[in-house]
Amino acid sequence: GVILDFDGTLSPIVARPELARPAAGAREVLAALVERYRVVAILTGRTAADVAGRVRVGGLTYLGDHGLQRGTYSRRGRPARIVTTFRAGHESGFEPAERLATRVPDVLGHPAWLFVERKGPSVAFHVRQADDRAAARAAVVAAVAQVDEELPPHDLAHYRGRLVVDLRPQAAGGKAEAFAELLASVRPATVVAFGDDSSDADAFAILRAAREDGRCEGLAVGVTGPH
């Protein structure tokens, strides 16, 4: 099995998330891997449909929103025909996620640097375009706390990320849980995983544990900068 992150791994980091595209040659390599390996999956914080439309390789398993979504389409099919399913049990997250997506920009005064990503039962606020990213992220966190006071109790909680404030159902876990679920269902003999962020490091820990107790051979590859 080959399991990859998208932003910063398959795609260079860009200032505007909607402009991200796979690095040159990546599509051809992915298409070749799909022909050879039992599972080739992209495990990403983006929605499954969003990353499928950017990668445009059929036969892949697209695990969106850190594993909360799962989608695929045939090798010769079109990305627009991807069938995406949400992991059951988190339907209550849709309404508070939408309220946060609407109200947080209002509280912040709709700054030009803010990019809001709606993901169904989750929502992410990207701050990569800000001049002072640390200050922008802190401002988003404060705005989320303010809006939270207006909302009924909900299960959305902060998830790990460097240049994003990502709110998703706490019970859904993240990349670590999605990675463990994938290993359990596919049972690959060998796994190579690629990633660049703290959430990918969580998944790497699952791979190391599986390797150490003999469930699979494994290699985790940390991608840094443009390399």
Side-chain angles (χ1 to χ4, degrees):
V2 181
I3 304 172
L4 308 105
D5 173 48
F6 181 72
D7 291 284
T9 301
L10 279 174
S11 169
I13 293 292
V14 292
R16 295 175 60 87
E18 70 271 26
L19 300 180
R21 296 291 182 273
R27 289 191 179 98
E28 292 78 6
V29 172
L30 289 169
L33 292 175
V34 168
E35 297 290 337
R36 295 179 57 189
Y37 292 98
R38 185 173 181 182
V39 61
V40 181
I42 295 179
L43 178 55
T44 174
R46 292 176 181 265
T47 66
D50 177 270
V51 78
R54 298 176 193 282
V55 174
R56 305 182 67 83
V57 175
L60 287 172
T61 299
Y62 293 95
L63 299 173
D65 194 5
H66 308 288
L68 193 55
Q69 304 176 17
R70 185 185 186 97
T72 189
Y73 64 96
S74 67
R75 295 184 188 182
R76 294 175 177 81
R78 298 178 180 178
R81 295 186 176 180
I82 188 171
V83 177
T84 301
T85 58
F86 290 91
R87 191 183 301 163
H90 306 293
E91 293 79 7
S92 64
F94 281 84
E95 184 174 350
E98 179 58 30
R99 290 280 299 278
L100 285 161
T102 301
R103 285 285 296 126
V104 166
D106 289 344
V107 171
L108 293 172
H110 296 272
W113 48 259
L114 182 65
F115 180 82
V116 181
E117 183 183 13
R118 289 170 163 86
K119 299 186 282 186
S122 306
V123 60
F125 302 95
H126 296 267
V127 302
R128 188 172 290 123
Q129 299 177 66
D131 292 331
D132 187 337
R133 295 170 176 177
R137 193 179 191 283
V140 171
V141 170
V144 167
Q146 179 178 330
V147 175
D148 258 341
E149 295 179 359
E150 306 170 4
L151 300 179
H154 59 78
D155 185 39
L156 301 188
H158 289 270
Y159 185 59
R160 296 180 71 177
R162 292 175 297 169
L163 300 177
V164 61
V165 178
D166 205 343
L167 296 160
R168 58 198 315 275
Q170 189 169 15
K175 282 193 175 182
E177 289 78 6
F179 202 99
E181 183 178 304
L182 189 63
L183 292 184
S185 63
V186 178
R187 300 175 64 86
T190 303
V191 178
V192 183
F194 297 82
D196 76 311
D197 208 339
S198 52
S199 58
D200 300 304
D202 296 338
F204 290 170
I206 300 297
L207 178 56
R208 285 197 299 273
R211 183 178 62 199
E212 290 167 1
D213 65 21
R215 282 177 286 148
C216 68
E217 295 295 326
L219 177 66
V221 182
V223 181
T224 61
H227 307 298

